Amino acid sequence: MEGVLTPEIWIAVAEKTGIKELRRTTRDEPDYDKLMRSRLAILDQHGLKLSDIQQVIGTLRPLEGGKEFLDELRSLVQVIILSDTFEQFATPLLRQLGWPALLCHRLVVKNDRIVDYKLRVPEQKQRAVAAFKLLNYHVIAAGDSFNDTAMLAEAQVGFLFRAPDNVKKQFPQFKAFEAYADLRAAIKAAMG
């Protein structure tokens, strides 16, 4: 979701708070647990609460053309968004995107303080794609970060979208696109 359809939430929080360490995302750090543990420590150190982050999220809008791309895609095929975001973060963005199906994680919150996070399962994106394939779905996946690459490899067809150069360089087996129109055309072609 983030980086493909919506802005990166943690980058928006970093910009709003001035805490540059929160700019690190799965585009920079392939180890999700290491990244999240670092984020939790930073939030604790600066006294940032869930409500502070939700206030920033409330100001975000889908990326230009993102909703239209999603709407057109949903008119052609079933779309499920697999994300490493959290239920407590996603609602305002899902509303703006027309309530697409989202599978994501959950934060552990006590008195408005984020104390931990709970993954649905490790490698949930890759495992969800494997499960869809067991149900005889032809899976076409797109993502932008290190945390998407196992999902892209599991899918029958995987694409990178607006991925940074470091991800594209490390995973040249995935065609990379920068514009929604090009990704849409590649998805249509992959639908065969």
Side-chain angles (χ1 to χ4, degrees):
M1 184 171 82
E2 294 176 61
V4 174
L5 298 171
T6 67
E8 293 279 352
I9 290 170
W10 291 102
I11 291 175
V13 172
E15 290 174 359
K16 178 70 173 175
T17 63
I19 304 169
K20 66 179 181 175
E21 297 85 4
L22 287 176
R23 290 188 62 81
R24 281 185 68 74
T25 69
T26 53
R27 293 169 157 233
D28 310 300
E29 176 56 61
D31 184 331
Y32 189 74
D33 186 62
K34 179 178 177 181
L35 178 64
M36 278 306 300
R37 296 287 163 215
S38 169
R39 288 170 172 168
L40 293 175
I42 293 166
L43 295 179
D44 197 46
Q45 174 188 353
H46 291 273
L48 285 174
K49 307 286 189 207
L50 174 61
S51 58
D52 299 321
I53 295 170
Q54 288 173 325
Q55 187 173 14
V56 173
I57 295 167
T59 68
L60 300 179
R61 300 293 170 256
L63 295 174
E64 186 176 332
K67 182 180 184 319
E68 295 77 11
F69 167 78
L70 182 61
D71 288 346
E72 183 176 340
L73 197 58
R74 291 192 313 179
S75 75
L76 301 172
V77 295
Q78 294 180 12
V79 177
I80 307 261
I81 299 172
L82 304 174
S83 178
D84 281 326
T85 194
F86 302 97
E87 291 175 352
Q88 295 95 328
F89 288 0
T91 300
L93 296 169
L94 291 177
R95 182 180 304 113
Q96 294 177 66
L97 291 170
W99 297 107
L102 170 70
L103 303 178
C104 65
H105 306 299
R106 184 151 188 80
L107 293 168
V108 178
V109 181
K110 293 184 180 171
N111 298 320
D112 199 28
R113 186 173 159 260
I114 302 170
V115 296
D116 204 358
Y117 72 98
K118 295 288 183 192
L119 296 179
R120 295 293 170 198
V121 294
E123 290 295 337
Q124 65 106 8
K125 293 179 182 185
Q126 180 271 329
R127 288 174 142 189
V129 168
F132 293 137
K133 286 169 50 181
L134 283 173
L135 295 169
N136 292 318
Y137 285 100
H138 178 78
V139 180
I140 303 167
D144 71 331
S145 298
F146 285 114
N147 65 328
D148 296 317
T149 57
M151 168 188 71
L152 300 180
E154 183 69 40
Q156 276 95 350
V157 182
F159 300 117
L160 288 170
F161 184 69
R162 295 184 180 166
D165 289 339
N166 61 326
V167 175
K168 289 190 277 195
K169 185 176 179 181
Q170 194 166 335
F171 296 92
Q173 66 269 39
F174 304 120
K175 287 185 182 178
F177 299 99
E178 299 299 318
Y180 288 119
D182 296 334
L183 179 58
R184 182 174 33 255
I187 290 170
K188 285 181 179 180
M191 289 167 54

